[in-house]
Amino acid sequence: MSAPTLVACDLDRTLIYSKNALWLTGADKDAPGLVVVEVYDGAPLSYMTRTAEDLLLKVKAAASFVPVTTRTQAQFERVQLPGPPSEYAVTSNGGVLLHHGVPDVSWRAQLSATMAANCAPLEQIETYLAKAEFSPWILRLRRAEELFVYAIIERDAMPESFVTELSEVCAAAGWSVSIQGRKLYCVPLPINKTDTLAEVARRTGATTVIAAGDSLLDQGMLESADLAFRPLHGELHDAGYLASHLRLTSVRGVLAGEEILGRIAAELDG
């Protein structure tokens, strides 16, 4: 039996979309049918198209599908993708490796040791972000799995000089910075999707990896894949990220998620 192909897909704004990220144009009567894939506080939160739902089932039948997300485990568990649960999932930007829904303790211990040796402690970055002068744009500050920090921000009030300075502070501390929508992430460099996905490939014996994502936190994962996709929106699009093995969608928003799954399914069929 041939080695499996891994299909690793970021979730938010790559595979699933909130109502504010659908980017649907044209007449409402021509809008695609949507499927609710996440409920929060009793209300729909995230969607994919009905066609994307069917395509994801085809992808899952032909390859090992691995959701890869910056969401925490609890946030990830709200998402109900079609088909059987994946054997592996990557949450917390690579800080948590789930196997049949259970966090891998040895992976967490390995990351903790690497961070202790190479990165400033979480409290140092948290204290910096909590400065009073940043309060006009940092509205709420949160820890994720005691691994990294993220903030809910007011982007219009946040000066570019702050982002530049924060990036310099984090780089010196062994951390990275990413802004996605109204969230700002500060993450230790050892916590990344790339290395965790490589561990999944090692465990499964996969020799081919197809990946899709839209943010700077996805870039390493896309670069290390054999074939990669990104939509016409997000941090990577804004940065103009291109590569010889990277394919861009022809549309943005929820229809880009559908297009990505369609092109991955076609690759697997081929």
Side-chain angles (χ1 to χ4, degrees), residues 19-120:
K19 67 178 182 179
N20 292 328
L22 293 176
W23 282 309
L24 293 173
T25 59
D28 290 343
K29 67 181 180 61
D30 298 325
L34 298 175
V35 177
V36 176
V37 293
E38 180 185 14
V39 172
Y40 181 61
D41 281 345
L45 183 62
S46 299
Y47 306 82
M48 65 194 314
T49 69
R50 288 176 182 158
T51 299
E53 180 181 45
D54 292 339
L55 288 167
L56 182 53
L57 290 173
K58 291 181 180 179
V59 169
K60 283 189 170 185
S64 295
F65 178 77
V66 184
V68 183
T69 179
T70 305
R71 287 172 174 242
T72 64
Q73 181 182 347
Q75 292 167 339
F76 167 70
E77 288 173 347
R78 295 199 305 255
V79 178
Q80 300 181 41
L81 297 176
S86 298
E87 178 181 3
Y88 287 98
V90 176
T91 73
S92 309
N93 202 59
V96 176
L97 174 58
L98 299 176
H99 186 224
H100 294 303
V102 179
D104 187 287
V105 176
S106 62
W107 182 252
R108 177 62 177 263
Q110 179 180 326
L111 284 178
S112 296
T114 303
M115 288 188 293
N118 299 285
C119 305

Side-chain angles (χ1 to χ4, degrees), residues 120-142:
L122 180 151
E123 291 79 9
Q124 179 176 321
I125 304 301
E126 191 175 52
T127 298
Y128 180 83
L129 290 171
K131 288 183 177 181
E133 58 261 42
F134 301 154
S135 61
W137 56 88
I138 295 186
L139 307 182
R140 293 190 298 278
L141 195 57
R142 299 284 186 269

Side-chain angles (χ1 to χ4, degrees), residues 248-269:
L248 278 58
T249 63
S250 60
V251 292
R252 65 177 185 171
V254 71
L255 289 175
E258 178 182 308
E259 183 178 339
I260 287 170
L261 288 172
R263 295 175 71 176
I264 292 176
E267 289 287 337
L268 295 171
D269 285 342

Side-chain angles (χ1 to χ4, degrees), residues 127-183:
T127 298
Y128 180 83
L129 290 171
K131 288 183 177 181
E133 58 261 42
F134 301 154
S135 61
W137 56 88
I138 295 186
L139 307 182
R140 293 190 298 278
L141 195 57
R142 299 284 186 269
R143 292 186 181 188
E145 310 272 11
E146 297 297 319
L147 290 169
F148 60 88
V149 182
Y150 68 95
I152 308 301
I153 58 174
E154 183 60 61
R155 292 192 71 161
D156 292 340
M158 185 171 66
E160 284 297 323
S161 58
F162 165 77
V163 179
T164 301
E165 182 179 346
L166 176 62
S167 298
E168 293 172 352
V169 168
C170 284
W175 288 58
S176 65
V177 177
S178 175
I179 301 173
Q180 300 177 43
R182 296 188 65 236
K183 288 185 178 179

Side-chain angles (χ1 to χ4, degrees), residues 202-221:
R202 185 191 69 79
R203 294 186 185 193
T204 60
T207 55
T208 301
V209 175
I210 301 174
D214 72 301
S215 79
L216 290 175
L217 293 173
D218 297 319
Q219 184 170 339
M221 176 177 74

